[in-house]
Amino acid sequence: MERIILGDNQFFAVNHLSDEKSRAQAMRFRTTNAIIEVLDIAYDLGIGTFMCTTHDRIAEVCEHIRSQPSRYQNFKIYPCMPYAHKYANAVTEYGVIEALKRFMPGKMLETAAKGGFALIRKDFMEMMKLLVDAEMKMFTGIKTEVIFLQNIITDLILGLGMYDFFVGFAKHIKAKYGAEPGFITMNMPFLLDVLEKQGILNPIICASINKIGFRMSGGKESYEKTIMERKFRPMAMQVLAAGALAPEEAMEYVCKQKKIESIVFGASTRNHIKQTKELIEQMSSRFGL
Amino acid sequence: MIKAGLIGLGKMGISHCAILNAHPNVDLVGVCDSSKFILSALEKHGSMKCFTDYKQMIRQSDLDCIFIAAPTRFHAEMVCHSLEKGLHVFVEKPFCLKIDEGRKMVDLAIKHNKVNQVGYHNRFIATFNEAKRIINEGIIGEIYHVLGEAYGPVVLKEKGSTWRSHKSEGGGCLYDYASHVINLIQFIVGAPQHVAGTVLKSIYSQDVDDAVYTTLLYKNGISGQLSVNWSDEAYRKMSTQITVLGKDGKVIVDATECKIYLRRENKSEGFEKGWNIRYITDLTDSVDFYLRGEEYSAQIDHFIACLLERKTENVSSFASAFETDSVVEMLVADNSSRI
């Protein structure tokens, strides 16, 4: 994994600190071109990995990336699935079964039959694979070396205790996409315990890791201990705690924990992206990385 | 360990199911739903015992408490049965559809001395609690007006087929969305005694309202307005905001920030003259298990803590939710008086 990764919350009006800011973001990024402009800035500054939700508009970004293969030769996407609001809204509108039918790909006769059959037989593992494939469709032809399960789903499976889905997801991602499975969570120590018990060793886990303990369930100390003592590949998100921390102290906190492999951050302007990248590099080298 | 059962595996039920199952002080011994589909997924891949008849689950499971997340029209029957079987009860919002039934449930919970809570989770969001504190401590002076708003993208098409589109089943923006705002207003400044000029507007739905607009009137002269619309595509998700005006300033609060405008500096609180902002990140305590917002875990933690400490006082009691239902009923009556 690359050390510095660009996230996508800023493009989709996700701001954990302010509803007002998220409205301003929605206005700024109403066109896909506005998103691509920011991706281009990051790419030209040497940030080649974009971590994003499987939002409908990402399909348009992928279209653009595919149309210029030489320009985006080293461009990678780490998809995070699913875009939960899409499913939640459909469940509200149509109910669970009807919503599932709508999202299982129906264009190819073969998949439709497979999906329908899985529904009737209540083969949930098969359904999960079909849903993953439906989400992955938009990334055809794009390098996706790590494929993440979004935190709402990771943590739901974790809470419900349906751990075999982690195994099923990991196997499917490896077998079908030749990629590494990744897990986003707000409950990192708990998740790592479970993944290890399920035989998923040295997993890639993306979690909130920040100096004020924001969204670090189980507590900051337990996170620090887990990172220090356990074998897994941590990726830090929400390092600025949604903006509550000054960049310097935020990055210092993350970079001094040397086992953290990657840092994902969101930014919308050249200056901001450049400064963040330089700050991470500077802090990393200060701690001998 | 507290032994819990859960009825209803819709969106809220599944969320409660995960939080309860991960809770260090709870043993989720049984879950119940009428749909075999979801149940069979849990049965096959999880470890809970599954039922399709909630009475059977109660009979066979030796529960301490029950979480009810079935459609609203079933609440009264399920809550009363559970209380009579000696269980502490957490029930989803809205509390119920008929005032008589609501009163009966409040009385029954008191009679049996059981912990009783309704899932108005906004009461567990730190920003709203901070606003309540600021107002109660008189920091913005005497209150004269409150504005409650919520907007979101739930119904955006003419056609809908779930219980949310049926009035008789507790569907509609009033029961589903506006009840949250009414409950929050009540939490922060109290419940109004009268309402006037109520408009329950259908935008896309056939049978139910998609927007609720009304004026709230209080005995002590406070006035208020309610503006709620669940057919507004400009919002990514439900956004709730309360504005409270006082003679010395005002508070604008949503789930992410609490903005305070003061006419004078307040040294003891560390507030400057003019605008001050308190962010959720500074106010929120972390929870043991996070699923989709600290408040969903915090409300369950509160219920379990009440049980363990044997206290029936509750931040979101049946009585407080009954008060919300009473305002909802006033709105319905006011709206239909003009039709």
Side-chain angles (χ1 to χ4, degrees):
Chain A
M1 291 191 293
E2 275 187 62
R3 175 74 173 157
I4 304 171
I5 293 166
L6 187 73
D8 75 337
N9 273 352
Q10 69 279 17
F11 300 142
F12 301 117
V14 180
N15 189 303
H16 301 290
L17 202 58
S18 160
D19 283 348
E20 210 165 286
K21 278 184 195 139
S22 82
R23 267 194 292 281
Q25 288 168 342
M27 287 177 209
R28 158 120 198 248
F29 292 108
R30 58 179 182 269
T31 67
T32 305
N33 269 344
I35 297 176
I36 291 168
E37 268 171 38
V38 175
L39 291 180
D40 281 347
I41 291 170
Y43 187 55
D44 294 338
L45 284 166
I47 301 172
T49 307
F50 175 45
M51 181 156 164
C52 63
T53 311
T54 48
H55 193 285
D56 286 343
R57 288 181 58 202
I58 292 295
E60 294 169 32
V61 173
C62 292
E63 200 66 47
H64 174 81
I65 303 294
R66 271 191 298 268
S67 72
Q68 299 183 35
S70 54
R71 163 89 172 99
Y72 296 108
Q73 211 174 354
N74 297 314
F75 190 84
K76 291 172 200 163
I77 289 183
Y78 289 173
C80 308
M81 62 183 58
Y83 177 62
H85 282 290
K86 186 167 71 181
Y87 290 92
N89 289 343
V91 169
T92 306
E93 200 169 345
Y94 307 110
V96 175
I97 296 180
E98 193 53 35
L100 270 175
K101 276 189 196 157
R102 275 165 194 266
F103 286 112
M104 297 236 231
K107 278 183 191 147
M108 286 150 57
L109 197 65
E110 185 206 2
T111 359
K114 211 171 153 192
F117 195 52
L119 258 177
I120 295 161
R121 266 196 15 213
K122 295 180 185 159
D123 185 343
F124 299 98
M125 207 53 84
E126 193 57 41
M127 276 182 238
M128 182 271 292
K129 288 181 196 168
L130 288 168
L131 290 171
V132 168
D133 294 346
E135 298 273 319
M136 281 304 291
K137 234 179 202 162
M138 66 172 86
F139 302 104
T140 308
I142 291 172
K143 287 186 199 112
T144 54
E145 292 168 0
V146 186
I147 297 168
F148 283 92
L149 204 55
Q150 201 61 270
N151 58 289
I152 179 75
I153 298 299
T154 306
D155 292 335
L156 187 65
I157 294 172
L158 187 63
L160 293 174
M162 298 161 91
Y163 305 144
D164 48 351
F165 281 106
F166 291 139
V167 179
F169 173 76
K171 278 189 183 155
H172 187 59
I173 293 301
K174 280 184 188 159
K176 178 141 190 187
Y177 301 96
E180 282 285 322
F183 302 90
I184 308 176
T185 182
M186 299 293 177
N187 306 284
M188 187 252 276
F190 181 19
L191 176 69
L192 180 59
D193 285 345
V194 167
L195 291 181
E196 280 184 353
K197 271 183 209 142
Q198 296 297 310
I200 302 173
L201 303 176
N202 198 20
I204 297 173
I205 298 182
C206 176
S208 292
I209 301 176
N210 55 67
K211 201 181 174 180
I212 58 169
F214 179 59
R215 300 271 150 90
M216 293 164 71
S217 314
K220 197 174 123 188
E221 291 71 28
S222 130
Y223 268 58
E224 289 168 358
K225 198 164 179 276
T226 305
I227 292 168
M228 184 101 83
E229 295 172 0
R230 305 277 292 275
K231 190 167 163 53
F232 71 115
R233 302 173 64 190
M235 177 192 275
M237 63 173 183
Q238 296 191 329
V239 290
L240 296 167
L245 282 162
E248 296 244 332
E249 61 170 340
M251 293 306 174
E252 185 188 4
Y253 175 77
V254 175
C255 292
K256 77 177 177 202
Q257 300 184 69
K258 294 185 191 176
K259 283 173 71 182
I260 296 174
E261 280 190 29
S262 295
I263 297 167
V264 55
F265 78 102
S268 316
T269 64
R270 173 183 296 275
N271 265 348
H272 195 182
I273 296 173
K274 191 162 177 278
Q275 282 164 7
T276 309
K277 180 173 184 273
E278 285 169 1
L279 185 60
I280 296 173
E281 284 166 347
Q282 194 189 325
M283 286 293 174
S284 304
S285 70
R286 187 199 288 181
F287 293 103
L289 290 164
Chain B
M1 287 292 252
I2 301 285
K3 283 194 208 156
L6 169 70
I7 311 173
L9 289 166
K11 220 159 66 176
M12 285 315 300
I14 289 174
S15 158
H16 291 322
C17 186
I19 294 169
L20 286 166
N21 196 46
H23 200 289
N25 297 324
V26 176
D27 184 8
L28 182 60
V29 289
V31 294
C32 174
D33 196 273
S34 56
S35 152
K36 285 263 190 186
F37 185 77
I38 306 265
L39 274 188
S40 51
L42 276 178
E43 214 151 35
K44 206 163 161 186
H45 300 280
S47 59
M48 295 144 230
K49 201 156 188 302
C50 297
F51 297 85
T52 49
D53 174 355
Y54 81 93
K55 289 182 180 166
Q56 189 192 355
M57 174 172 80
I58 292 174
R59 230 177 11 249
Q60 296 181 354
S61 309
D62 186 29
L63 304 173
D64 296 306
C65 63
I66 194 141
F67 286 75
I68 300 170
T72 316
R73 69 194 152 112
F74 299 120
H75 285 181
E77 182 212 312
M78 291 174 171
V79 167
C80 291
H81 180 81
S82 304
L83 285 170
E84 273 156 7
K85 294 288 169 191
L87 305 183
H88 302 278
V89 179
F90 179 107
V91 61
E92 255 316 310
K93 52 68 58 177
F95 188 39
C96 70
L97 301 172
K98 292 185 189 129
I99 286 298
D100 292 346
E101 289 177 348
R103 195 172 288 123
K104 191 177 156 201
M105 288 190 275
V106 173
D107 292 344
L108 206 58
I110 293 169
K111 184 182 150 197
H112 290 281
N113 196 29
K114 294 297 169 194
V115 178
N116 54 95
Q117 188 174 330
V118 180
Y120 281 110
H121 51 80
N122 286 320
R123 290 182 175 231
F124 296 87
I125 294 179
T127 47
F128 292 122
N129 279 281
E130 176 70 353
K132 181 182 167 74
R133 184 190 70 83
I134 286 167
I135 288 153
N136 284 349
E137 289 181 13
I139 293 166
I140 60 165
E142 190 190 326
I143 303 306
Y144 64 87
H145 189 74
V146 57
L147 166 65
E149 298 167 276
Y151 308 105
V154 179
V155 176
L156 300 170
K157 283 183 222 143
E158 303 278 341
K159 236 176 94 207
S161 54
T162 66
W163 63 271
R164 274 163 218 275
S165 54
H166 300 292
K167 193 165 250 160
S168 58
E169 297 182 28
C173 176
L174 174 61
Y175 287 110
D176 207 58
Y177 250 48
S179 61
H180 270 300
V181 187
I182 294 165
N183 187 271
L184 252 189
I185 289 177
Q186 196 189 309
F187 181 59
I188 296 173
V189 297
Q193 281 72 45
H194 304 285
V195 299
T198 305
V199 179
L200 302 181
K201 191 187 281 281
S202 295
I203 302 168
Y204 302 114
S205 296
Q206 298 289 319
D207 190 35
V208 297
D209 50 275
D210 295 316
V212 178
Y213 305 108
T214 195
T215 300
L216 311 171
L217 300 163
Y218 290 75
K219 265 186 202 146
N220 54 9
I222 297 177
S223 58
Q225 263 152 355
L226 191 68
S227 172
V228 181
N229 180 341
W230 76 357
S231 294
D232 188 342
E233 202 189 56
Y235 290 80
R236 189 177 70 94
K237 56 176 186 173
M238 185 182 189
S239 303
T240 305
Q241 179 170 289
I242 308 286
T243 303
V244 182
L245 291 99
K247 287 185 176 174
D248 297 332
K250 70 173 174 181
V251 171
I252 303 175
V253 60
D254 59 34
T256 54
E257 57 191 356
C258 181
K259 290 174 279 200
I260 307 113
Y261 183 91
L262 293 184
R263 297 181 64 196
R264 278 178 294 274
E265 181 189 22
N266 184 320
K267 275 192 183 147
S268 60
E269 283 285 333
F271 288 135
E272 289 172 24
K273 181 176 188 273
W275 286 108
N276 299 267
I277 302 186
R278 291 279 191 268
Y279 291 109
I280 187 77
T281 42
D282 299 328
L283 301 166
T284 305
D285 294 326
S286 78
V287 291
D288 286 332
F289 177 75
Y290 178 102
L291 185 58
R292 46 193 284 248
E294 282 84 2
E295 65 272 26
Y296 297 100
S297 303
Q299 66 173 355
I300 288 179
D301 288 346
H302 176 65
F303 180 78
I304 298 300
C306 286
L307 236 112
L308 291 169
E309 292 159 23
R310 300 182 179 284
K311 63 173 199 192
T312 47
E313 258 173 65
N314 192 288
V315 169
S316 184
S317 64
F318 282 6
S320 68
F322 175 66
E323 210 174 11
T324 304
D325 284 351
S326 307
V327 176
V328 165
E329 195 181 64
M330 282 199 284
L331 260 57
V332 172
D334 186 45
N335 177 66
S336 52
S337 69
R338 269 176 294 103
I339 295 169

